[in-house]
Amino acid sequence: DRRQRGVVAQCTYRSNFAIIGLPLGAALGGAAGSALTAIISAVTVPLFNVLAVFALTVFLGEEDGEGKHRIDIRALLKKIATNPLIIGVLAGVAALVIRSLIPRDANGALAFSLSRDVPMLYQAVKWMANMATPLALISLGGQFSFRATGRLWKQITIGTVMRIVVAPALGILGALLLTRAGVMQADNAQYAAFIALFGSPVAASSAIMATEMGNDEQLAAQYVVWTSVGSAITIFLIAVLCRSAGLL
């Protein structure tokens, strides 16, 4: 089913790095792991969303008169440019640039701080940020259908295993092989970041994007639920194995 191909592909590579990965990297790697995970997220979050637009669009193109699959490149680029998460990341970078331009006093404190000078607005935005992911998961849980699970069990099994078993195995083993070959150097903090990047469940926003872009929303919601449940076990096992091997 063309409406399911992009959903499976998205589940395979797109981890919930921004929400689950960041605290997981801090828990496994301490302050160094937290800092490294934050740096990686600045690259992976926009990349995940650009790839998601491709994955959720490329299989839905119309066929021409000769039966060939065609993709509207202009529409594809427009979807990338108007993706809310990509816009959000760019807005966050713009905010950091603006903050760097604000004068500082002799002690290095900002002349204007939202948290200090406009605490009511800052606290309201902070509450909304803390509420976003739990609310998305609650909404997806409310839409969860056991009937759809029975109908989609093959697709669910493939995507879930790829996301929480195959992807972390390939990612961490690849890093280990590159380290042993001398191509790269990796310490405990980096392996903590790798576990957070490759081992996290699929992002909750993946189901929202799949729905908005005309893909199979039921399968996408199933992936969020099952990878979240399954990763509670697989992340624990991955961390134990990595610690036993001296990687953490």
Side-chain angles (χ1 to χ4, degrees):
D1 186 345
R2 285 186 176 178
R3 295 177 66 250
Q4 295 178 348
R5 294 177 187 176
V7 178
V8 176
Q10 180 181 223
C11 179
T12 299
Y13 78 84
R14 186 176 186 177
S15 65
N16 199 348
F17 194 46
I19 304 301
I20 296 178
L22 289 174
L24 180 60
L28 295 175
S34 178
L36 185 59
T37 305
I39 293 172
I40 295 175
S41 69
V43 178
T44 56
V45 171
L47 179 61
F48 281 168
N49 285 278
V50 170
L51 292 176
V53 174
F54 276 97
L56 297 174
T57 303
V58 69
F59 298 109
L60 298 181
E62 298 180 355
E63 292 186 355
D64 58 16
E66 300 177 358
K68 295 182 179 180
H69 193 62
R70 301 182 64 87
I71 301 171
D72 190 339
I73 301 299
R74 182 179 298 178
L76 181 63
L77 295 176
K78 182 180 179 181
K79 289 177 180 179
I80 293 174
T82 57
N83 181 274
L85 292 179
I86 295 176
I87 294 173
V89 171
L90 295 177
V93 172
L96 291 175
V97 173
I98 293 172
R99 186 173 69 177
S100 68
L101 299 176
I102 298 175
R104 296 177 180 268
D105 59 22
N107 297 322
L110 292 172
F112 173 80
S113 173
L114 197 65
S115 59
R116 183 188 66 232
D117 300 317
V118 196
M120 294 178 61
L121 177 60
Y122 175 81
Q123 193 62 43
V125 173
K126 186 176 180 180
W127 284 338
M128 290 180 64
N130 293 337
M131 177 182 68
T133 298
L135 184 60
L137 291 173
I138 290 172
S139 300
L140 289 172
Q143 299 172 5
F144 185 77
S145 171
F146 285 101
R147 183 177 301 176
T149 302
R151 177 173 57 86
L152 299 170
W153 71 268
K154 289 183 179 180
Q155 295 91 324
I156 293 172
T157 302
I158 292 171
T160 301
V161 171
M162 291 293 291
R163 170 67 258 143
I164 64 176
V165 178
V166 177
L170 291 177
I172 296 171
L173 287 176
L176 181 60
L177 291 175
L178 290 174
T179 302
R180 297 289 172 84
V183 177
M184 60 177 279
Q185 294 181 348
D187 54 17
N188 293 355
Q190 288 174 307
Y191 279 107
F194 293 152
I195 294 173
L197 174 61
F198 296 112
S200 300
V202 68
S205 58
S206 64
I208 300 171
M209 284 190 65
T211 302
E212 291 181 349
M213 300 183 70
N215 286 256
D216 192 330
E217 64 272 13
Q218 284 193 338
L219 180 60
Q222 294 278 341
Y223 280 147
V224 174
V225 173
W226 290 111
T227 58
S228 297
V229 172
S231 66
I233 300 173
T234 55
I235 289 174
F236 171 76
L237 295 176
I238 293 168
V240 170
L241 291 174
C242 289
R243 182 151 295 178
S244 300
L247 302 180
L248 288 178

